[in-house]
Amino acid sequence: ENYILNNINKIKNIPVSIVQGRYDIVCPMRSAWDLKQSLPSSKLYVIDNAGHSMKEIGISKKLVELTNELANS
């Protein structure tokens, strides 16, 4: 429990983007918010009309967008 938050210092220098579905009941919004608060340099994207699955249109679009940004940097 809370492994990532308890070991946040190990990833503090890695760029992090958090993609969270607004209606995700598997990983509640609070988890994404706590991670964002622990990593102030991270970016949190809340996807409206999405739950947990990366197959949902909004989440897929954001993941592709972020992946393309990494590939072009």
Side-chain angles (χ1 to χ4, degrees), residues 41-52:
S41 63
S42 66
K43 296 176 184 172
L44 173 60
Y45 302 94
V46 178
I47 310 301
D48 289 329
N49 299 320
H52 184 73

Side-chain angles (χ1 to χ4, degrees), residues 15-32:
V16 173
S17 293
I18 306 160
V19 179
Q20 174 72 36
R22 180 172 303 281
Y23 301 107
D24 187 339
I25 59 171
V26 176
C27 298
M29 183 73 72
R30 179 61 193 248
S31 299

Side-chain angles (χ1 to χ4, degrees), residues 18-72:
I18 306 160
V19 179
Q20 174 72 36
R22 180 172 303 281
Y23 301 107
D24 187 339
I25 59 171
V26 176
C27 298
M29 183 73 72
R30 179 61 193 248
S31 299
W33 179 254
D34 289 346
L35 181 58
K36 170 65 181 149
Q37 295 306 302
S38 295
L39 286 171
S41 63
S42 66
K43 296 176 184 172
L44 173 60
Y45 302 94
V46 178
I47 310 301
D48 289 329
N49 299 320
H52 184 73
S53 176
M54 65 183 256
K55 294 179 182 179
E56 295 186 54
I57 294 171
I59 292 178
S60 293
K61 287 173 102 173
K62 181 52 78 176
L63 291 174
V64 168
E65 176 186 322
L66 293 169
T67 301
N68 287 338
E69 287 177 14
L70 287 174
N72 295 323

Side-chain angles (χ1 to χ4, degrees), residues 9-21:
N9 61 324
K10 295 179 182 182
I11 62 170
K12 67 181 179 182
N13 296 320
I14 298 172
V16 173
S17 293
I18 306 160
V19 179
Q20 174 72 36

